[in-house]
Amino acid sequence: MAGWVDDAGFLAGLEPQWREELRACKPVLVPVRTTLFRPGDHAQSFVVLLSGKIGVYLTGRNGRELLLYSVTPGETCVQTTLGVLGGAPYSGEALAETDLVAVLVPPALFERLMAGSAGFRHFVFKAFAARLGDLMFVLEQVAFVKVEQRLAHALLERAGPDGLVSMTHHDLAVVIGTAREVISRRLEAMQSKGLIANERGAIRILDRPALSRMAAQD
Amino acid sequence: MAGWVDDAGFLAGLEPQWREELRACKPVLVPVRTTLFRPGDHAQSFVVLLSGKIGVYLTGRNGRELLLYSVTPGETCVQTTLGVLGGAPYSGEALAETDLVAVLVPPALFERLMAGSAGFRHFVFKAFAARLGDLMFVLEQVAFVKVEQRLAHALLERAGPDGLVSMTHHDLAVVIGTAREVISRRLEAMQSKGLIANERGAIRILDRPALSRMAAQD
DNA sequence: GGCTTCACGGTGACTAAGTCACACGGGATC
DNA sequence: GATCCCGTGTGACTTAGTCACCGTGAAGCC
């Protein structure tokens, strides 16, 4: 009598007896654009995302925002985990980018899983490792890499097969951690070089190879 | 028959039987200025620092460096831990700022501790939480805060009771994540305002309150 | 249809930060 | 005393971020 389906396969590494117990946890539905956590919030449960996408952002006092990482199905939101365990407050802001389905693991079960399941421990640690890696990457980009390169990278990463990137300049500015005007000017420069075409609310990539070169520049 | 003394008190939260087992691990001595890990290195042991100080840095391709965090006695180097567990490679660079004494916990014992000791698990998670917090802080500073404020903050943080900060401009640049010239110019500006006095290899703080105001600026 | 409203984006002018090249001087070393 | 190197100062230039303001297209409202 499974409570939910593990499409993302995060139960795979778990011992059978624990698998059953986890399946008994009720999944939760969250509508798009819900703010899941704000800075200073204190999480009560360990969360595993089953479907949808969560964006975690950092906001500066000047109002500028920066995307720290995204949580995708089969992953957990580390900061929540830290809240459950260490009592550290939440410093980022989590936003439901789509409708979500998630499993909430209550602290008591979480403790028992950590104590009893090597598979679960590895899952949790891999999640930590991945997030720490994400943060290091963002930090390196923000601290050392030029806007033009980051922008080229971001565009390529988010382009559909037709080369369309459905994001506003403001969206891109948040992903990269800069100001909207800077993005506008960079995109205009790229357009005048024939690399992309600007449309309202979207950018179309015309010359992938050239953009890749720009992104990889040493 | 204790193998070493737990000055930093990190054994405090551990169950007695595990305490003994940990004490049996041989401490290791590392001389100052040793590079402990480079990007891509793969750690074999879980490390707990008993005395000394480790600095963990990120290096950009342009050669600029950025201090991510420091490891002090009683703490562990998270990235090492991740290496032991998740197999994630090391992306920062760790340098012994002083002579070190550290305990190396072999993977097998680490696994047994994680499985058997709630106290140990909490120690590990608190370490993770602290590091993640450190990284978030640095990220926020680098992404959103002006150099002048960061510099004022860094100076206050590192000043002795006499107001002396024994660091070169280059050192400060690494701490803040900017270029040496930028630091030189900022310090000169601060000096001309009477906030500090520049000396060779050091800065003397003359007006703490004013510097605090500068650091706190909204 | 005509009107309002608002998100999206363009622009100029200015400040802050980063880069590059090079110059100066004090200590240490030989 | 000559040399070397580290720490620092400086000018000129590029890139990025900020502020204020404008135009325009799209959605909604009357």
Side-chain angles (χ1 to χ4, degrees), chain B residues 98-166:
Chain B
T98 66
D99 289 333
L100 306 177
V101 184
V103 177
L104 294 187
V105 181
L109 176 55
F110 180 83
E111 274 296 335
R112 283 196 296 134
L113 277 163
M114 283 302 287
S117 167
F120 187 75
R121 283 198 297 274
H122 283 108
F123 171 75
V124 172
F125 273 109
K126 269 177 70 176
F128 269 114
R131 286 313 162 229
L132 215 58
D134 290 345
L135 283 189
M136 299 274 288
F137 179 78
V138 173
L139 194 43
E140 185 181 337
Q141 296 290 307
V142 171
F144 299 131
V145 181
K146 291 212 198 302
V147 167
E148 187 173 60
Q149 293 169 48
R150 277 186 277 158
L151 181 52
H153 186 267
L155 287 175
L156 289 168
E157 203 176 42
R158 285 153 220 280
D162 52 351
L164 194 69
V165 183
S166 295

Side-chain angles (χ1 to χ4, degrees), chain B residues 70 75 78 92 94 134 145 166 189 212:
Chain B
S70 296
E75 296 184 332
V78 220
D134 290 345
V145 181
S166 295
S212 299

Side-chain angles (χ1 to χ4, degrees), chain B residues 71-88:
Chain B
V71 182
T72 57
E75 296 184 332
T76 178
C77 186
V78 220
Q79 310 218 35
T80 323
T81 312
L82 291 176
V84 177
L85 289 142

Side-chain angles (χ1 to χ4, degrees), chain B residues 62 64 146-147 178-179 181-182 185-186 200:
Chain B
N62 47 7
R64 253 170 61 206
K146 291 212 198 302
V147 167
T178 182
E181 299 92 315
V182 176
R185 288 194 244 260
R186 285 287 141 198
R200 192 184 171 84

Side-chain angles (χ1 to χ4, degrees), chain A residues 62 64 146-148 178 181-182 185-186 200:
Chain A
N62 47 7
R64 253 169 61 203
K146 290 212 197 304
V147 166
E148 187 172 60
T178 182
E181 298 93 316
V182 176
R185 290 194 242 261
R186 286 287 142 198
R200 194 185 171 82

Side-chain angles (χ1 to χ4, degrees), chain A residues 30-33 51-53 96-101:
Chain A
V30 178
V32 64
R33 264 181 295 280
S51 79
K53 189 173 159 193
E97 311 272 15
T98 65
D99 289 333
L100 305 177
V101 184

